[in-house]
Amino acid sequence: MKSLASRLVPKTVEKLIPYQSARRIGGSGHLWLNANELEQSCRYGAGDGEYHRYPDFLPHELADTYRVYCQGAGDTLNCDAVAVRGADEAIDLMIRTFCQPGADKIMICPPTYAMYEFCAESIAVEAVKAPLLDDFQLDMTSITKQLAETKILFLCSPNNPTGNVINQADIITLLEAGKESTLIVVDEAYIEFAPDTSVINLIEQYPHLVVIRTLSKAFGLAAIRCGFLLADSCVMEYISRLIAPYPIADPVAEIALRALDSDGIQKMRIQSDELISTREWFAEEVQKLAIVERVYVSATNFVLIRFASAECMYSYLLSKGIVTRNQVHEPALANCVRISIGSKSSMLETLNALQEYK
Ligand SMILES: Cc1ncc(COP(=O)(O)O)c(C=O)c1O
């Protein structure tokens, strides 16, 4: 039987032959004169590596290393992985691969990460909305009603900007409901701050589930632009047709591989634990302030705070040189400000500023 991915993919993508880059065509020989590269090159500065050749057309070693990191000790993860230029590229790729401009729809559950809607609208794909409930959990009735007409449902867990984890039982219910109609993407950009809540192991049972990850958050590597898309091979077959010819630059792969070795993973876990303890201390202290209505529980590296007036607090903090994220554009988040968790001293300075507010 045909997979759901192959039934959903537009004809144009189905017919598409991936761009045949020199590295993809490959070959064997002792002179490589097939890619219009320089055979040798000058160096432009101290510490430069050898960068005159194009990188892998798909960095398989990096993708495999990430898969091993995901599966943890003892388990086997039965899915494919591909490395991309940040989770943002994975979102864009999913939409461009499976949605036909002017015809298809995705579904989002706001307040959530803005890129799902942006990427969809940029190619005339409608983003249907099923807003989160007051407790920031999924409105299952609203989602299920619209699911059959939706090509991709984007869920974000832990969610940005609310910070909470989406109930796994709800995700499973939707995976069952969408089996014949909808690819379900779970964006796990913040998963290292709530590792037990990942749905990655469900890909084997639900081949229409796609998980998006990144090295930008807990690994602290936002500048290198490296993310991953994990999915069944039936989804990956189409993703690999649209992916850019050389998505990952060599220096990026080198840094990412170091972050994903056992020493790197241990360092990431130590810095995540420290961040979580700073977050909990900051949230507890901020909650004591009279100007604060509520600090929402967070499973991420930020906290969402509801003030009596967000506009004032955002501008006030800015006047003190502290740049936060106003949520004024989100109807459900009136008076909320999102604050990333920095070092203990940065959070102490922020707390002091809030305490001094008159
Ligand atoms: C939920 C979510 N997904 C994806 C991203 C983008 O991640 P990347 O830096 O890997 O593109 C972010 C960044 O803030 C995010 O909050």
Side-chain angles (χ1 to χ4, degrees):
M1 202 179 94
K2 278 179 97 180
S3 67
L4 177 63
S6 66
R7 279 181 277 142
L8 293 183
V9 77
K11 289 237 160 8
T12 42
V13 176
E14 178 147 48
K15 281 194 283 181
L16 207 59
I17 297 163
Y19 170 68
Q20 297 299 299
S21 64
R23 282 286 168 284
R24 192 187 278 258
I25 295 168
S28 66
H30 66 283
L31 293 183
W32 286 84
L33 305 174
N34 61 340
N36 297 347
E37 306 142 326
L38 294 193
E39 248 194 330
Q40 287 154 15
S41 176
C42 55
R43 303 285 179 101
Y44 295 96
D48 277 2
E50 294 252 338
Y51 298 130
H52 56 103
R53 295 288 188 189
Y54 280 101
D56 262 0
F57 75 93
L58 279 181
H60 294 290
E61 187 193 355
L62 178 55
D64 288 345
T65 305
Y66 194 77
R67 246 171 35 82
V68 171
Y69 157 68
C70 290
Q71 72 192 14
D75 299 332
T76 324
L77 187 63
N78 282 320
C79 69
D80 288 357
V82 70
V84 287
R85 288 164 296 197
D88 283 342
E89 185 174 40
I91 296 164
D92 194 46
L93 260 176
M94 276 304 295
I95 296 173
R96 285 194 299 115
T97 303
F98 289 103
C99 296
Q100 210 172 332
D104 291 331
K105 294 176 190 169
I106 65 155
M107 200 189 319
I108 58 169
C109 305
T112 193
Y113 187 49
M115 281 298 279
Y116 316 131
E117 184 172 11
F118 173 83
C119 291
E121 289 190 340
S122 71
I123 61 159
V125 166
E126 188 186 342
V128 171
K129 294 182 180 134
L132 295 176
L133 300 170
D134 288 347
D135 61 356
F136 299 146
Q137 287 299 329
L138 302 177
D139 182 342
M140 297 296 282
T141 314
S142 168
I143 297 175
T144 11
K145 238 193 250 162
Q146 309 175 80
L147 201 60
E149 293 89 53
T150 303
K151 273 262 177 99
I152 309 174
L153 167 64
F154 280 93
L155 302 176
C156 186
S157 183
N159 187 38
N160 175 12
T162 57
N164 63 302
V165 171
I166 300 298
N167 292 334
Q168 196 166 117
D170 287 350
I171 299 179
I172 294 173
T173 304
L174 293 173
L175 283 165
E176 286 291 337
K179 259 181 180 166
E180 299 301 324
S181 61
T182 310
L183 297 171
I184 299 188
V185 174
V186 180
D187 182 342
E188 294 189 340
Y190 298 94
I191 201 65
E192 282 83 7
F193 300 109
D196 297 342
T197 68
S198 176
V199 294
I200 210 155
N201 284 311
L202 296 176
I203 296 175
E204 185 174 8
Q205 193 183 345
Y206 298 104
H208 59 305
L209 168 64
V210 175
V211 171
I212 289 176
R213 297 278 192 94
T214 180
L215 298 187
S216 294
K217 306 299 176 185
F219 279 93
L221 289 173
I224 71 168
R225 311 305 300 129
C226 185
F228 297 88
L229 187 149
L230 297 112
D232 188 87
S233 56
C234 64
V235 172
M236 211 58 97
E237 184 189 335
Y238 299 111
I239 291 289
S240 60
R241 293 184 194 196
L242 259 73
I243 200 162
Y246 302 109
I248 302 288
D250 275 348
V252 171
E254 287 156 19
I255 296 167
L257 282 169
R258 269 188 272 134
L260 290 166
D261 70 19
S262 56
D263 187 41
I265 293 169
Q266 200 191 348
K267 285 181 181 157
M268 176 278 288
R269 292 207 171 116
I270 291 168
Q271 80 182 6
S272 297
D273 287 347
E274 277 168 14
L275 186 142
I276 290 170
S277 91
T278 305
R279 181 192 72 203
E280 294 307 291
W281 161 80
F282 181 72
E284 201 181 317
E285 292 302 314
V286 167
Q287 186 65 78
K288 293 177 189 161
L289 305 177
I291 48 166
V292 170
E293 268 178 26
R294 183 161 180 193
V295 181
Y296 289 93
V297 172
S298 170
T300 64
N301 65 338
F302 58 82
V303 282
L304 183 71
I305 305 175
R306 195 181 287 273
F307 293 98
S309 158
E311 201 54 49
C312 297
M313 293 319 297
Y314 169 78
S315 310
Y316 166 73
L317 288 171
L318 202 55
S319 75
K320 298 274 175 190
I322 300 168
V323 188
T324 61
R325 197 73 179 254
N326 197 346
Q327 298 297 318
V328 73
H329 53 282
E330 283 288 355
L333 300 184
N335 296 337
C336 289
V337 173
R338 194 194 70 192
I339 303 184
S340 304
I341 302 298
S343 66
K344 184 91 188 232
S345 75
S346 300
M347 300 328 285
L348 192 59
E349 186 177 331
T350 308
L351 178 65
N352 288 340
L354 290 171
Q355 283 166 337
E356 283 163 17
Y357 179 76
K358 301 247 172 6

